Amino acid sequence: MPSRAIFEAELKSRYSDLLDVDYPRVSDAEMERRATAVAGMMAAHGLDALIVAEAMRAGSATGWITGWPVTAEAVTVIVPGVPRRMFIQHYNHLPLARRIAWHTEVAWGEGSAIGRAAEAVAAATSDAAITGRATVGVIGRLPAGEAERLAGRFRVVDMNRAYAQLRMIKSDEELRWLSLAAGLTDLAVMAFAENATAGTSERDLIARVQESYLALGGTNFIHYVHSTGMDAPDVAVPRQYPSGRVLRTGDVVSCELSVDYWGWTGQILRTFFLGAEPSPLYRELHAVADAAMDAVLVQVKPGTHARELVEASRGIEEAGFTVIDDLVHGYGGGYLPPVLGTASRPSAGIPDLTLAAGMALVVQPNVTTRDGTAGVQTGNLVLVIEDGWRPLQQFPRGYQVL
């Protein structure tokens, strides 16, 4: 792989149309495709209206449908034949939201964005002469009080699962955005490898990682890390918040990194050893993880059922190990199906789902000891294609000794 400086220059050249703009946005044709998909979903579920309610920078539907990335709160109302409306908090967010949101009237949510959305739905469905209570779909998570407010006026249908289905197969344009996010994530792991040195704290390390992509417009989505001594390990999976622990020679350091670019994120998972070759235990853990990843990737192709991916990981248990993190999960526009564990650490259930071209997955066998004291992380974001899969992350697989 080229140096980080060369890789960054190539990334800037390849995606200059998305990076060298004030506020990047997808094409009108892509937004029209999404609007058509949402309209079809609404019709299939007999909806008179759809409310998308997301807050605190969480959720992907608002950005996918309108182009506006959620800040404090955004509640979007879609009624067939009526101009789309979005109610947001806070008032000072209005000017930028009005500039960015695609074909959407943006207004202040006042005391309750959900309350204003309910009034908008009531007015629009009344004008449409709908008999009885209107059927309103909801995407997002609502506080109990707001959910009761809607249920008191409308027949409410949870549309989160249906929305996830819309995100499973990526369009060509979406794949380009996802590939850019993957490239920014490769920059992040390159910076991680450069700065994971004895004497650096986990917090300082993550600060250097974030510097690698902030100037390009990327933002942090995940920067999980763990470090421990190979001679007396006490952690097996990257932790969600970096600690103040200072790295030492003889450490094992694992990371899970995702960089976001306007709603699209890459994901890469790697393990490094500082100033020393892996101990026999860690060498075995990583060998089992690599074998499990290879076995799962052989099955990543159109027509494979989700349970076949789980079955492909049986070598983990046969070697006497287990996992803590997911084995596989869908990705690209959310944490999507299938979300899978292994025989010894199962997921909530294996969905009746077969892979199809255009799906994106993260394959990430986090092989650990059964007592949870030692583990490694390896994984990549990949795309399902007609004859198998191709990687979206370019950073080399396998552990590295730094």
Side-chain angles (χ1 to χ4, degrees), residues 124-146:
T125 54
S126 175
D127 291 344
I130 293 170
T131 59
R133 292 205 304 171
T135 300
V136 178
V138 175
I139 297 172
R141 297 179 179 179
L142 296 178
E146 302 285 33

Side-chain angles (χ1 to χ4, degrees), residues 35-249:
T36 298
V38 170
M41 176 190 73
M42 293 176 64
H45 289 81
L47 302 184
D48 299 309
L50 178 68
I51 290 176
V52 181
E54 296 174 331
M56 302 311 294
R57 302 182 187 274
S60 63
T62 303
W64 191 70
I65 292 171
T66 72
W68 169 248
V70 178
T71 51
E73 183 181 22
V75 180
T76 305
V77 176
I78 301 174
V79 179
V82 176
R84 185 187 313 172
R85 303 185 72 186
M86 181 168 64
F87 302 97
I88 71 167
Q89 305 290 0
H90 302 289
Y91 200 90
N92 60 313
H93 297 193
L94 284 169
L96 185 58
R98 286 171 174 160
R99 175 177 176 177
I100 291 177
W102 183 81
H103 291 190
T104 303
E105 297 178 2
V106 181
W108 181 32
E110 300 180 14
S112 170
I114 284 290
R116 291 211 64 190
E119 292 299 331
V121 170
T125 54
S126 175
D127 291 344
I130 293 170
T131 59
R133 292 205 304 171
T135 300
V136 178
V138 175
I139 297 172
R141 297 179 179 179
L142 296 178
E146 302 285 33
E148 291 173 0
R149 182 198 295 261
L150 291 181
R153 302 185 67 171
F154 313 111
R155 177 177 173 269
V156 176
V157 180
D158 184 344
M159 296 299 294
N160 286 289
R161 185 183 299 272
Y163 163 69
Q165 293 298 315
L166 295 185
R167 304 303 307 271
M168 296 287 286
I169 306 296
K170 278 62 176 177
S171 69
D172 289 343
E173 186 167 341
E174 288 181 321
L175 286 175
R176 191 159 185 267
W177 285 75
L178 187 59
S179 296
L180 169 56
L184 293 172
T185 304
D186 283 322
L187 277 181
V189 76
M190 293 168 78
F192 190 99
E194 290 172 9
N195 290 281
T197 57
T200 300
S201 73
E202 289 185 3
R203 293 171 185 160
D204 287 340
L205 173 57
I206 292 303
R208 301 290 82 76
V209 167
Q210 291 197 30
E211 286 179 357
S212 69
Y213 52 79
L214 289 177
L216 296 176
T219 56
N220 175 63
F221 190 72
I222 287 177
H223 55 212
Y224 301 169
V225 60
H226 92 252
S227 64
T228 188
M230 282 189 284
D231 55 348
D234 61 1
V235 61
V237 66
R239 294 180 281 212
Q240 290 68 51
Y241 296 96
S243 75
R245 184 182 182 277
V246 175
L247 308 186
R248 304 177 180 90
T249 298

Side-chain angles (χ1 to χ4, degrees), residues 118 144 343 383:
L383 176 70

